[in-house]
Each structure stands twice: as structure tokens, then as C-alpha cells.
PDB file of all heavy atoms in Angstrom:
ATOM      1  N   ALA C 126      83.857 -70.292-100.552  1.00  0.00           N
ATOM      2  CA  ALA C 126      82.453 -70.390-100.896  1.00  0.00           C
ATOM      3  C   ALA C 126      82.281 -71.588-101.845  1.00  0.00           C
ATOM      4  O   ALA C 126      83.292 -72.142-102.326  1.00  0.00           O
ATOM      5  CB  ALA C 126      81.924 -69.107-101.587  1.00  0.00           C
ATOM      6  N   LYS C 127      81.081 -72.012-102.041  1.00  0.00           N
ATOM      7  CA  LYS C 127      80.824 -73.139-102.949  1.00  0.00           C
ATOM      8  C   LYS C 127      81.444 -72.799-104.355  1.00  0.00           C
ATOM      9  O   LYS C 127      81.346 -71.751-104.882  1.00  0.00           O
ATOM     10  CB  LYS C 127      79.347 -73.369-103.115  1.00  0.00           C
ATOM     11  CG  LYS C 127      78.713 -74.103-101.969  1.00  0.00           C
ATOM     12  CD  LYS C 127      78.928 -75.615-102.117  1.00  0.00           C
ATOM     13  CE  LYS C 127      78.069 -76.396-101.128  1.00  0.00           C
ATOM     14  NZ  LYS C 127      78.240 -77.844-101.327  1.00  0.00           N
ATOM     15  N   GLU C 128      82.104 -73.874-104.926  1.00  0.00           N
ATOM     16  CA  GLU C 128      82.668 -73.707-106.252  1.00  0.00           C
ATOM     17  C   GLU C 128      82.135 -74.815-107.140  1.00  0.00           C
ATOM     18  O   GLU C 128      81.966 -76.004-106.661  1.00  0.00           O
ATOM     19  CB  GLU C 128      84.190 -73.758-106.209  1.00  0.00           C
ATOM     20  CG  GLU C 128      84.828 -72.630-105.439  1.00  0.00           C
ATOM     21  CD  GLU C 128      86.354 -72.755-105.407  1.00  0.00           C
ATOM     22  OE1 GLU C 128      86.844 -73.553-104.596  1.00  0.00           O
ATOM     23  OE2 GLU C 128      86.989 -72.075-106.236  1.00  0.00           O
ATOM     24  N   PHE C 129      81.925 -74.504-108.421  1.00  0.00           N
ATOM     25  CA  PHE C 129      81.349 -75.455-109.339  1.00  0.00           C
ATOM     26  C   PHE C 129      82.035 -75.378-110.714  1.00  0.00           C
ATOM     27  O   PHE C 129      82.519 -74.344-111.130  1.00  0.00           O
ATOM     28  CB  PHE C 129      79.831 -75.180-109.586  1.00  0.00           C
ATOM     29  CG  PHE C 129      79.046 -75.308-108.312  1.00  0.00           C
ATOM     30  CD1 PHE C 129      78.782 -74.201-107.507  1.00  0.00           C
ATOM     31  CD2 PHE C 129      78.546 -76.550-107.939  1.00  0.00           C
ATOM     32  CE1 PHE C 129      78.043 -74.340-106.373  1.00  0.00           C
ATOM     33  CE2 PHE C 129      77.809 -76.687-106.753  1.00  0.00           C
ATOM     34  CZ  PHE C 129      77.529 -75.583-105.948  1.00  0.00           C
ATOM     35  N   GLU C 130      82.064 -76.538-111.400  1.00  0.00           N
ATOM     36  CA  GLU C 130      82.477 -76.608-112.817  1.00  0.00           C
ATOM     37  C   GLU C 130      81.208 -76.978-113.616  1.00  0.00           C
ATOM     38  O   GLU C 130      80.364 -77.756-113.105  1.00  0.00           O
ATOM     39  CB  GLU C 130      83.558 -77.676-113.041  1.00  0.00           C
ATOM     40  CG  GLU C 130      84.873 -77.311-112.409  1.00  0.00           C
ATOM     41  CD  GLU C 130      85.665 -76.294-113.226  1.00  0.00           C
ATOM     42  OE1 GLU C 130      85.254 -75.994-114.361  1.00  0.00           O
ATOM     43  OE2 GLU C 130      86.676 -75.798-112.696  1.00  0.00           O
ATOM     44  N   VAL C 131      81.129 -76.399-114.822  1.00  0.00           N
ATOM     45  CA  VAL C 131      80.017 -76.760-115.688  1.00  0.00           C
ATOM     46  C   VAL C 131      80.328 -78.109-116.399  1.00  0.00           C
ATOM     47  O   VAL C 131      81.416 -78.246-116.954  1.00  0.00           O
ATOM     48  CB  VAL C 131      79.736 -75.687-116.746  1.00  0.00           C
ATOM     49  CG1 VAL C 131      78.656 -76.119-117.741  1.00  0.00           C
ATOM     50  CG2 VAL C 131      79.368 -74.389-116.096  1.00  0.00           C
ATOM     51  N   GLY C 132      79.419 -79.041-116.284  1.00  0.00           N
ATOM     52  CA  GLY C 132      79.653 -80.361-116.890  1.00  0.00           C
ATOM     53  C   GLY C 132      79.074 -80.407-118.318  1.00  0.00           C
ATOM     54  O   GLY C 132      78.991 -79.387-119.012  1.00  0.00           O
ATOM     55  N   LEU C 133      78.686 -81.578-118.738  1.00  0.00           N
ATOM     56  CA  LEU C 133      78.215 -81.800-120.057  1.00  0.00           C
ATOM     57  C   LEU C 133      76.896 -81.085-120.285  1.00  0.00           C
ATOM     58  O   LEU C 133      76.038 -80.929-119.435  1.00  0.00           O
ATOM     59  CB  LEU C 133      78.002 -83.293-120.373  1.00  0.00           C
ATOM     60  CG  LEU C 133      79.246 -84.118-120.338  1.00  0.00           C
ATOM     61  CD1 LEU C 133      78.856 -85.594-120.476  1.00  0.00           C
ATOM     62  CD2 LEU C 133      80.163 -83.722-121.510  1.00  0.00           C
ATOM     63  N   SER C 134      76.725 -80.525-121.513  1.00  0.00           N
ATOM     64  CA  SER C 134      75.496 -79.833-121.877  1.00  0.00           C
ATOM     65  C   SER C 134      74.380 -80.836-122.115  1.00  0.00           C
ATOM     66  O   SER C 134      74.636 -82.025-122.371  1.00  0.00           O
ATOM     67  CB  SER C 134      75.698 -78.948-123.125  1.00  0.00           C
ATOM     68  OG  SER C 134      76.010 -79.799-124.247  1.00  0.00           O
ATOM     69  N   ASP C 135      73.158 -80.385-122.134  1.00  0.00           N
ATOM     70  CA  ASP C 135      71.989 -81.212-122.339  1.00  0.00           C
ATOM     71  C   ASP C 135      71.193 -80.585-123.452  1.00  0.00           C
ATOM     72  O   ASP C 135      70.720 -79.428-123.343  1.00  0.00           O
ATOM     73  CB  ASP C 135      71.145 -81.314-121.057  1.00  0.00           C
ATOM     74  CG  ASP C 135      69.915 -82.134-121.204  1.00  0.00           C
ATOM     75  OD1 ASP C 135      69.598 -82.600-122.325  1.00  0.00           O
ATOM     76  OD2 ASP C 135      69.250 -82.371-120.184  1.00  0.00           O
ATOM     77  N   SER C 136      71.049 -81.249-124.581  1.00  0.00           N
ATOM     78  CA  SER C 136      70.347 -80.682-125.691  1.00  0.00           C
ATOM     79  C   SER C 136      68.810 -80.590-125.510  1.00  0.00           C
ATOM     80  O   SER C 136      68.087 -80.040-126.337  1.00  0.00           O
ATOM     81  CB  SER C 136      70.638 -81.470-126.992  1.00  0.00           C
ATOM     82  OG  SER C 136      72.013 -81.304-127.376  1.00  0.00           O
ATOM     83  N   GLY C 137      68.352 -81.213-124.421  1.00  0.00           N
ATOM     84  CA  GLY C 137      66.920 -81.017-124.055  1.00  0.00           C
ATOM     85  C   GLY C 137      65.938 -81.793-124.923  1.00  0.00           C
ATOM     86  O   GLY C 137      66.136 -82.940-125.242  1.00  0.00           O
ATOM     87  N   THR C 138      64.874 -81.074-125.330  1.00  0.00           N
ATOM     88  CA  THR C 138      63.810 -81.723-126.054  1.00  0.00           C
ATOM     89  C   THR C 138      63.426 -80.893-127.295  1.00  0.00           C
ATOM     90  O   THR C 138      63.713 -79.728-127.392  1.00  0.00           O
ATOM     91  CB  THR C 138      62.544 -81.840-125.119  1.00  0.00           C
ATOM     92  OG1 THR C 138      62.112 -80.496-124.723  1.00  0.00           O
ATOM     93  CG2 THR C 138      62.823 -82.688-123.903  1.00  0.00           C
ATOM     94  N   LEU C 139      62.773 -81.596-128.187  1.00  0.00           N
ATOM     95  CA  LEU C 139      62.190 -80.935-129.376  1.00  0.00           C
ATOM     96  C   LEU C 139      60.752 -81.380-129.438  1.00  0.00           C
ATOM     97  O   LEU C 139      60.464 -82.576-129.502  1.00  0.00           O
ATOM     98  CB  LEU C 139      62.898 -81.376-130.668  1.00  0.00           C
ATOM     99  CG  LEU C 139      62.303 -80.932-131.959  1.00  0.00           C
ATOM    100  CD1 LEU C 139      62.383 -79.380-132.081  1.00  0.00           C
ATOM    101  CD2 LEU C 139      62.983 -81.564-133.164  1.00  0.00           C
ATOM    102  N   THR C 140      59.837 -80.400-129.400  1.00  0.00           N
ATOM    103  CA  THR C 140      58.398 -80.698-129.530  1.00  0.00           C
ATOM    104  C   THR C 140      57.920 -80.278-130.910  1.00  0.00           C
ATOM    105  O   THR C 140      58.151 -79.071-131.347  1.00  0.00           O
ATOM    106  CB  THR C 140      57.597 -79.963-128.470  1.00  0.00           C
ATOM    107  OG1 THR C 140      58.053 -80.379-127.165  1.00  0.00           O
ATOM    108  CG2 THR C 140      56.111 -80.308-128.619  1.00  0.00           C
ATOM    109  N   LEU C 141      57.294 -81.205-131.645  1.00  0.00           N
ATOM    110  CA  LEU C 141      56.781 -80.909-132.997  1.00  0.00           C
ATOM    111  C   LEU C 141      55.276 -80.915-132.893  1.00  0.00           C
ATOM    112  O   LEU C 141      54.687 -81.955-132.473  1.00  0.00           O
ATOM    113  CB  LEU C 141      57.299 -81.944-133.959  1.00  0.00           C
ATOM    114  CG  LEU C 141      58.834 -82.007-134.148  1.00  0.00           C
ATOM    115  CD1 LEU C 141      59.232 -83.151-135.012  1.00  0.00           C
ATOM    116  CD2 LEU C 141      59.325 -80.715-134.747  1.00  0.00           C
ATOM    117  N   ASN C 142      54.619 -79.874-133.313  1.00  0.00           N
ATOM    118  CA  ASN C 142      53.152 -79.763-133.344  1.00  0.00           C
ATOM    119  C   ASN C 142      52.658 -79.910-134.819  1.00  0.00           C
ATOM    120  O   ASN C 142      53.348 -79.385-135.702  1.00  0.00           O
ATOM    121  CB  ASN C 142      52.718 -78.415-132.778  1.00  0.00           C
ATOM    122  CG  ASN C 142      53.170 -78.240-131.346  1.00  0.00           C
ATOM    123  OD1 ASN C 142      52.955 -79.100-130.495  1.00  0.00           O
ATOM    124  ND2 ASN C 142      53.803 -77.130-131.081  1.00  0.00           N
ATOM    125  N   TYR C 143      51.557 -80.562-135.042  1.00  0.00           N
ATOM    126  CA  TYR C 143      51.189 -80.851-136.382  1.00  0.00           C
ATOM    127  C   TYR C 143      49.662 -81.138-136.471  1.00  0.00           C
ATOM    128  O   TYR C 143      48.974 -81.340-135.431  1.00  0.00           O
ATOM    129  CB  TYR C 143      51.933 -82.076-136.909  1.00  0.00           C
ATOM    130  CG  TYR C 143      52.022 -83.219-135.946  1.00  0.00           C
ATOM    131  CD1 TYR C 143      50.986 -84.147-135.781  1.00  0.00           C
ATOM    132  CD2 TYR C 143      53.155 -83.431-135.179  1.00  0.00           C
ATOM    133  CE1 TYR C 143      51.042 -85.237-134.924  1.00  0.00           C
ATOM    134  CE2 TYR C 143      53.258 -84.478-134.278  1.00  0.00           C
ATOM    135  CZ  TYR C 143      52.225 -85.372-134.162  1.00  0.00           C
ATOM    136  OH  TYR C 143      52.363 -86.424-133.263  1.00  0.00           O
ATOM    137  N   ASN C 144      49.159 -81.062-137.676  1.00  0.00           N
ATOM    138  CA  ASN C 144      47.785 -81.540-137.920  1.00  0.00           C
ATOM    139  C   ASN C 144      47.850 -83.081-137.891  1.00  0.00           C
ATOM    140  O   ASN C 144      48.646 -83.713-138.602  1.00  0.00           O
ATOM    141  CB  ASN C 144      47.292 -81.054-139.304  1.00  0.00           C
ATOM    142  CG  ASN C 144      47.097 -79.581-139.367  1.00  0.00           C
ATOM    143  OD1 ASN C 144      46.673 -78.951-138.361  1.00  0.00           O
ATOM    144  ND2 ASN C 144      47.442 -78.958-140.496  1.00  0.00           N
ATOM    145  N   TYR C 145      46.951 -83.645-137.061  1.00  0.00           N
ATOM    146  CA  TYR C 145      46.972 -85.101-136.800  1.00  0.00           C
ATOM    147  C   TYR C 145      46.461 -85.900-137.972  1.00  0.00           C
ATOM    148  O   TYR C 145      45.340 -85.700-138.421  1.00  0.00           O
ATOM    149  CB  TYR C 145      46.217 -85.407-135.542  1.00  0.00           C
ATOM    150  CG  TYR C 145      46.321 -86.819-135.112  1.00  0.00           C
ATOM    151  CD1 TYR C 145      47.557 -87.358-134.695  1.00  0.00           C
ATOM    152  CD2 TYR C 145      45.196 -87.648-135.021  1.00  0.00           C
ATOM    153  CE1 TYR C 145      47.635 -88.671-134.282  1.00  0.00           C
ATOM    154  CE2 TYR C 145      45.262 -88.950-134.577  1.00  0.00           C
ATOM    155  CZ  TYR C 145      46.500 -89.442-134.244  1.00  0.00           C
ATOM    156  OH  TYR C 145      46.597 -90.756-133.787  1.00  0.00           O
ATOM    157  N   ALA C 146      47.344 -86.756-138.507  1.00  0.00           N
ATOM    158  CA  ALA C 146      46.979 -87.600-139.611  1.00  0.00           C
ATOM    159  C   ALA C 146      47.677 -88.927-139.343  1.00  0.00           C
ATOM    160  O   ALA C 146      48.818 -89.160-139.808  1.00  0.00           O
ATOM    161  CB  ALA C 146      47.427 -87.009-140.962  1.00  0.00           C
ATOM    162  N   PRO C 147      47.059 -89.840-138.583  1.00  0.00           N
ATOM    163  CA  PRO C 147      47.718 -91.002-138.052  1.00  0.00           C
ATOM    164  C   PRO C 147      48.334 -91.942-139.095  1.00  0.00           C
ATOM    165  O   PRO C 147      49.309 -92.645-138.761  1.00  0.00           O
ATOM    166  CB  PRO C 147      46.626 -91.729-137.255  1.00  0.00           C
ATOM    167  CG  PRO C 147      45.352 -91.202-137.786  1.00  0.00           C
ATOM    168  CD  PRO C 147      45.614 -89.820-138.196  1.00  0.00           C
ATOM    169  N   ASN C 148      47.806 -91.945-140.305  1.00  0.00           N
ATOM    170  CA  ASN C 148      48.354 -92.828-141.323  1.00  0.00           C
ATOM    171  C   ASN C 148      49.408 -92.168-142.180  1.00  0.00           C
ATOM    172  O   ASN C 148      49.902 -92.816-143.113  1.00  0.00           O
ATOM    173  CB  ASN C 148      47.236 -93.364-142.219  1.00  0.00           C
ATOM    174  CG  ASN C 148      46.327 -94.318-141.484  1.00  0.00           C
ATOM    175  OD1 ASN C 148      46.805 -95.059-140.612  1.00  0.00           O
ATOM    176  ND2 ASN C 148      45.039 -94.361-141.784  1.00  0.00           N
ATOM    177  N   SER C 149      49.788 -90.968-141.914  1.00  0.00           N
ATOM    178  CA  SER C 149      50.824 -90.294-142.670  1.00  0.00           C
ATOM    179  C   SER C 149      52.167 -90.904-142.359  1.00  0.00           C
ATOM    180  O   SER C 149      52.407 -91.466-141.281  1.00  0.00           O
ATOM    181  CB  SER C 149      50.866 -88.777-142.398  1.00  0.00           C
ATOM    182  OG  SER C 149      51.159 -88.537-141.022  1.00  0.00           O
ATOM    183  N   THR C 150      53.101 -90.776-143.293  1.00  0.00           N
ATOM    184  CA  THR C 150      54.406 -91.474-143.186  1.00  0.00           C
ATOM    185  C   THR C 150      55.137 -91.106-141.893  1.00  0.00           C
ATOM    186  O   THR C 150      55.653 -91.980-141.184  1.00  0.00           O
ATOM    187  CB  THR C 150      55.268 -91.150-144.448  1.00  0.00           C
ATOM    188  OG1 THR C 150      54.537 -91.507-145.583  1.00  0.00           O
ATOM    189  CG2 THR C 150      56.549 -91.887-144.366  1.00  0.00           C
ATOM    190  N   ILE C 151      55.257 -89.829-141.622  1.00  0.00           N
ATOM    191  CA  ILE C 151      56.098 -89.420-140.487  1.00  0.00           C
ATOM    192  C   ILE C 151      55.425 -89.796-139.164  1.00  0.00           C
ATOM    193  O   ILE C 151      56.075 -90.247-138.208  1.00  0.00           O
ATOM    194  CB  ILE C 151      56.395 -87.921-140.550  1.00  0.00           C
ATOM    195  CG1 ILE C 151      57.412 -87.649-141.679  1.00  0.00           C
ATOM    196  CG2 ILE C 151      56.928 -87.400-139.209  1.00  0.00           C
ATOM    197  CD1 ILE C 151      57.684 -86.190-141.952  1.00  0.00           C
ATOM    198  N   GLN C 152      54.131 -89.544-139.044  1.00  0.00           N
ATOM    199  CA  GLN C 152      53.449 -89.830-137.775  1.00  0.00           C
ATOM    200  C   GLN C 152      53.450 -91.382-137.515  1.00  0.00           C
ATOM    201  O   GLN C 152      53.516 -91.798-136.366  1.00  0.00           O
ATOM    202  CB  GLN C 152      52.047 -89.246-137.780  1.00  0.00           C
ATOM    203  CG  GLN C 152      52.081 -87.714-137.781  1.00  0.00           C
ATOM    204  CD  GLN C 152      50.749 -87.066-137.932  1.00  0.00           C
ATOM    205  OE1 GLN C 152      49.746 -87.412-137.212  1.00  0.00           O
ATOM    206  NE2 GLN C 152      50.649 -86.113-138.823  1.00  0.00           N
ATOM    207  N   ASP C 153      53.376 -92.139-138.546  1.00  0.00           N
ATOM    208  CA  ASP C 153      53.548 -93.597-138.428  1.00  0.00           C
ATOM    209  C   ASP C 153      54.944 -93.938-137.980  1.00  0.00           C
ATOM    210  O   ASP C 153      55.140 -94.800-137.143  1.00  0.00           O
ATOM    211  CB  ASP C 153      53.219 -94.312-139.784  1.00  0.00           C
ATOM    212  CG  ASP C 153      53.297 -95.786-139.638  1.00  0.00           C
ATOM    213  OD1 ASP C 153      52.554 -96.392-138.800  1.00  0.00           O
ATOM    214  OD2 ASP C 153      54.116 -96.408-140.347  1.00  0.00           O
ATOM    215  N   ALA C 154      55.946 -93.222-138.498  1.00  0.00           N
ATOM    216  CA  ALA C 154      57.354 -93.437-138.129  1.00  0.00           C
ATOM    217  C   ALA C 154      57.574 -93.109-136.656  1.00  0.00           C
ATOM    218  O   ALA C 154      58.357 -93.787-135.927  1.00  0.00           O
ATOM    219  CB  ALA C 154      58.296 -92.628-139.006  1.00  0.00           C
ATOM    220  N   PHE C 155      56.923 -92.069-136.134  1.00  0.00           N
ATOM    221  CA  PHE C 155      57.015 -91.700-134.738  1.00  0.00           C
ATOM    222  C   PHE C 155      56.529 -92.868-133.862  1.00  0.00           C
ATOM    223  O   PHE C 155      57.159 -93.250-132.838  1.00  0.00           O
ATOM    224  CB  PHE C 155      56.219 -90.468-134.430  1.00  0.00           C
ATOM    225  CG  PHE C 155      56.853 -89.168-134.856  1.00  0.00           C
ATOM    226  CD1 PHE C 155      56.123 -88.073-135.173  1.00  0.00           C
ATOM    227  CD2 PHE C 155      58.248 -89.023-134.891  1.00  0.00           C
ATOM    228  CE1 PHE C 155      56.653 -86.904-135.608  1.00  0.00           C
ATOM    229  CE2 PHE C 155      58.827 -87.817-135.295  1.00  0.00           C
ATOM    230  CZ  PHE C 155      58.027 -86.762-135.651  1.00  0.00           C
ATOM    231  N   ARG C 156      55.353 -93.433-134.232  1.00  0.00           N
ATOM    232  CA  ARG C 156      54.796 -94.529-133.445  1.00  0.00           C
ATOM    233  C   ARG C 156      55.764 -95.750-133.450  1.00  0.00           C
ATOM    234  O   ARG C 156      56.013 -96.371-132.427  1.00  0.00           O
ATOM    235  CB  ARG C 156      53.438 -94.963-133.971  1.00  0.00           C
ATOM    236  CG  ARG C 156      52.358 -93.914-133.662  1.00  0.00           C
ATOM    237  CD  ARG C 156      50.961 -94.546-133.872  1.00  0.00           C
ATOM    238  NE  ARG C 156      50.809 -95.001-135.264  1.00  0.00           N
ATOM    239  CZ  ARG C 156      50.424 -94.241-136.296  1.00  0.00           C
ATOM    240  NH1 ARG C 156      50.168 -92.964-136.060  1.00  0.00           N
ATOM    241  NH2 ARG C 156      50.280 -94.777-137.481  1.00  0.00           N
ATOM    242  N   ALA C 157      56.299 -96.019-134.608  1.00  0.00           N
ATOM    243  CA  ALA C 157      57.193 -97.177-134.728  1.00  0.00           C
ATOM    244  C   ALA C 157      58.463 -96.974-133.925  1.00  0.00           C
ATOM    245  O   ALA C 157      58.958 -97.892-133.262  1.00  0.00           O
ATOM    246  CB  ALA C 157      57.507 -97.433-136.205  1.00  0.00           C
ATOM    247  N   ALA C 158      59.037 -95.731-133.970  1.00  0.00           N
ATOM    248  CA  ALA C 158      60.233 -95.459-133.244  1.00  0.00           C
ATOM    249  C   ALA C 158      60.051 -95.566-131.730  1.00  0.00           C
ATOM    250  O   ALA C 158      60.867 -96.045-130.983  1.00  0.00           O
ATOM    251  CB  ALA C 158      60.764 -94.088-133.627  1.00  0.00           C
ATOM    252  N   LYS C 159      58.840 -95.075-131.280  1.00  0.00           N
ATOM    253  CA  LYS C 159      58.548 -95.163-129.806  1.00  0.00           C
ATOM    254  C   LYS C 159      58.415 -96.606-129.394  1.00  0.00           C
ATOM    255  O   LYS C 159      58.942 -96.992-128.331  1.00  0.00           O
ATOM    256  CB  LYS C 159      57.295 -94.365-129.542  1.00  0.00           C
ATOM    257  CG  LYS C 159      56.947 -94.343-128.066  1.00  0.00           C
ATOM    258  CD  LYS C 159      55.634 -93.561-127.807  1.00  0.00           C
ATOM    259  CE  LYS C 159      55.285 -93.553-126.302  1.00  0.00           C
ATOM    260  NZ  LYS C 159      54.003 -92.849-126.067  1.00  0.00           N
ATOM    261  N   LYS C 160      57.756 -97.391-130.221  1.00  0.00           N
ATOM    262  CA  LYS C 160      57.567 -98.818-129.845  1.00  0.00           C
ATOM    263  C   LYS C 160      58.859 -99.560-129.840  1.00  0.00           C
ATOM    264  O   LYS C 160      59.132-100.386-128.938  1.00  0.00           O
ATOM    265  CB  LYS C 160      56.604 -99.471-130.868  1.00  0.00           C
ATOM    266  CG  LYS C 160      56.276-100.923-130.562  1.00  0.00           C
ATOM    267  CD  LYS C 160      55.235-101.397-131.538  1.00  0.00           C
ATOM    268  CE  LYS C 160      54.898-102.885-131.241  1.00  0.00           C
ATOM    269  NZ  LYS C 160      53.902-103.450-132.179  1.00  0.00           N
ATOM    270  N   ALA C 161      59.747 -99.273-130.775  1.00  0.00           N
ATOM    271  CA  ALA C 161      60.969 -99.998-130.915  1.00  0.00           C
ATOM    272  C   ALA C 161      62.132 -99.415-130.062  1.00  0.00           C
ATOM    273  O   ALA C 161      63.188-100.041-129.904  1.00  0.00           O
ATOM    274  CB  ALA C 161      61.438-100.037-132.390  1.00  0.00           C
ATOM    275  N   GLY C 162      61.893 -98.150-129.574  1.00  0.00           N
ATOM    276  CA  GLY C 162      62.971 -97.535-128.832  1.00  0.00           C
ATOM    277  C   GLY C 162      64.138 -97.065-129.692  1.00  0.00           C
ATOM    278  O   GLY C 162      65.247 -96.917-129.158  1.00  0.00           O
ATOM    279  N   THR C 163      63.863 -96.783-130.953  1.00  0.00           N
ATOM    280  CA  THR C 163      64.945 -96.337-131.855  1.00  0.00           C
ATOM    281  C   THR C 163      64.879 -94.823-131.973  1.00  0.00           C
ATOM    282  O   THR C 163      63.911 -94.166-131.685  1.00  0.00           O
ATOM    283  CB  THR C 163      64.760 -96.960-133.240  1.00  0.00           C
ATOM    284  OG1 THR C 163      63.411 -96.678-133.725  1.00  0.00           O
ATOM    285  CG2 THR C 163      64.968 -98.454-133.197  1.00  0.00           C
ATOM    286  N   GLU C 164      66.002 -94.272-132.455  1.00  0.00           N
ATOM    287  CA  GLU C 164      66.152 -92.809-132.582  1.00  0.00           C
ATOM    288  C   GLU C 164      65.673 -92.363-133.975  1.00  0.00           C
ATOM    289  O   GLU C 164      65.707 -93.122-134.944  1.00  0.00           O
ATOM    290  CB  GLU C 164      67.596 -92.402-132.410  1.00  0.00           C
ATOM    291  CG  GLU C 164      68.125 -92.716-130.964  1.00  0.00           C
ATOM    292  CD  GLU C 164      69.612 -92.535-130.853  1.00  0.00           C
ATOM    293  OE1 GLU C 164      70.291 -92.728-131.891  1.00  0.00           O
ATOM    294  OE2 GLU C 164      70.090 -92.203-129.762  1.00  0.00           O
ATOM    295  N   VAL C 165      65.222 -91.134-134.025  1.00  0.00           N
ATOM    296  CA  VAL C 165      64.909 -90.498-135.258  1.00  0.00           C
ATOM    297  C   VAL C 165      65.709 -89.211-135.412  1.00  0.00           C
ATOM    298  O   VAL C 165      66.193 -88.658-134.429  1.00  0.00           O
ATOM    299  CB  VAL C 165      63.367 -90.141-135.381  1.00  0.00           C
ATOM    300  CG1 VAL C 165      62.517 -91.414-135.359  1.00  0.00           C
ATOM    301  CG2 VAL C 165      62.952 -89.208-134.262  1.00  0.00           C
TER     302      VAL C 165
END
């Protein structure tokens, strides 16, 4: 029958919900990281 091995795990996603305050430090950091393609 079909046989399988489990490969590398996937840590998936993290969704953070918040009160929207676009000029706050962290929400500004999210925008900057998305634009630059850097990790947080």
C-alpha cells in the first residue's frame, strides 16, 4: 500500500489582532518590515 515519511514541520502563521493605530511603534514596524521584506 502507499507508504509515507513525515518531512519537515511547518510552523504556519501567526495572526495578531489589535486596535488600529497606524502611527504606533509596532504597527509602523509591521509596515516597514513588509515593505523591506525583513523578518520580525
Side-chain angles (χ1 to χ4, degrees):
K127 282 278 190 177
E128 296 180 280
F129 298 92
E130 292 282 349
V131 176
L133 294 175
S134 64
D135 181 353
S136 293
T138 60
L139 173 67
T140 300
L141 299 172
N142 301 309
Y143 45 82
N144 293 323
Y145 186 63
N148 290 327
S149 63
T150 302
I151 289 176
Q152 293 175 49
D153 183 59
F155 283 151
R156 289 195 301 274
K159 183 180 180 182
K160 183 177 181 179
T163 54
E164 296 169 331
V165 297

